[in-house]
Amino acid sequence: MRRFIRIIRNILLLVIAAMVILAGVLTFNVVTHRSRQIEVFAVPRAPIDRQGAATRLSEAIRFRTISNFLNPEQDAEALRGLQAHIAKSFPKFHATAKREIVAGYSLLYAWEGSDAKAPPIALLAHQDVVPIAPGTEKDWQQPPFDGVIADGFIWGRGSWDDKGNLYSMLEAAEAMARDGFRPKRTAYFAFGHDEEVAGVRGAKAIAATLASRGVRLDFVLDEGLLIAEGLIKGLDKPAALIGVAEKGYATLVLTAHATPGHSSMPPRDTAIGVMSAALARLEDNRLPMQIRGTVSEMFDTLAPEMSGFNRVALSNLWLFKPLLLREFEKSGPSEATVRTTTALTIFQAGDKDSKPATRTMCCPATPRPPSTSA
Ligand SMILES: [Zn+2]
């Protein structure tokens, strides 16, 4: 009995010692994981004509610049209207910067710098928007193309993505031009017209135009992510999320063929059944989650700014990685940061329910096979 108690006591001591060592390692990793933030002083806020800026953006939303890949001319008139509105709204900038139209509807402005040797930069935005899904018009709290200003917001398609960006840049440039500012380095403002359908006409042509002139940009600022406040668990400070690349994608078409047959005497395996089983297995076997590259760097940067358990967990990924990944798996956007996602998007199968027609009841003839490829 005494020997048994001694064994239990030793095991307990070992467990306690292991826990103390573990706590020590966790704490050490938290303490030595220092903040990467650099001390910067905020630029004083420039005075803004809030009402004027809001009105200009709300008017911009009324131009239905909905791009269409197959019909590039679909929004030609709306684009011309928007461009006239831009020219009218920002006269000082237009008197200062050189404007050219690229590929019919894209805009490229060059605000020439005072130092010809300073490497130029480019600020990007796009003029087009995506359409409204048919039948969802009544789901909008405010009409999508009216540019309503209400409850402290400007409502409508493009108010954020991306006329909001485009007009904000021009509001700033207009105010600076009015004050007689001249940039040291040349600043390009490039506004494509078909970004929502891949930008193969607009952005591509702008890039080719700049390349043909030997322009090498020091950096490019495009539309992107937001300053997240209260979106990241355990982080009380605002975090500026920087998009450094865009996720690419590949589209695969899967086809199954099976023996056709009438639904009154169907084959054992239908193409719809075979394909459905395969697709269900695809959904059950997703690509593995991993923390590496920019995601790992993001966690490294965020960890010291966090509080509580999240800080401990992110500073000790060697231990908490599985737990963290399980958390990330719970929501679509967070899951997409740690995994190559797969999605089943379009399904086509069959064209007839193949109820036997009355006629076939009286006069048995060769049944017409339904199409059974998926
Ligand atoms: Zn956009």
Side-chain angles (χ1 to χ4, degrees), residues 131-161:
I132 308 301
T136 61
E137 291 84 354
K138 62 180 183 329
D139 299 334
W140 285 68
Q141 287 167 269
Q142 298 286 356
F145 292 104
D146 283 5
V148 173
I149 303 177
D151 310 321
F153 291 96
I154 301 158
W155 300 75
R157 193 56 114 206
S159 55
W160 181 341
D161 181 7

Side-chain angles (χ1 to χ4, degrees), residues 159-273:
S159 55
W160 181 341
D161 181 7
D162 193 29
K163 289 173 181 167
N165 277 330
L166 197 158
Y167 273 67
S168 301
M169 286 176 197
L170 292 181
E171 290 288 345
E174 176 73 5
M176 292 165 93
R178 200 185 304 128
D179 289 347
F181 172 84
R182 187 177 178 194
K184 191 170 168 225
R185 51 168 112 204
T186 296
Y188 290 98
F189 291 68
F191 304 141
H193 70 280
D194 63 341
E195 192 270 354
E196 299 292 6
V197 288
V200 289
R201 297 186 180 96
K204 202 172 169 184
I206 293 172
T209 302
L210 292 176
S212 73
R213 292 172 193 166
V215 174
R216 277 196 69 85
L217 299 166
D218 201 23
F219 68 83
V220 162
L221 278 185
D222 198 359
E223 65 171 317
L225 302 169
L226 48 137
I227 296 182
E229 283 186 81
L231 288 182
I232 301 167
K233 267 194 215 164
L235 186 71
D236 306 324
K237 304 172 193 175
L241 304 174
I242 302 166
V244 289
E246 187 154 318
K247 219 171 183 180
Y249 72 95
T251 298
L252 301 178
V253 178
L254 309 178
T255 310
H257 295 286
T259 315
H262 192 275
S263 60
S264 60
M265 33 184 170
R268 181 67 193 86
D269 293 315
T270 61
I272 291 177

Side-chain angles (χ1 to χ4, degrees), residues 326-349:
R326 260 208 304 280
E327 259 324 287
F328 267 75
E329 211 175 5
K330 286 181 186 164
S331 98
S334 65
E335 186 193 15
T337 59
V338 289
R339 149 182 286 153
T340 293
T341 51
T342 48
L344 309 173
T345 50
I346 300 172
F347 195 92
Q348 286 162 340

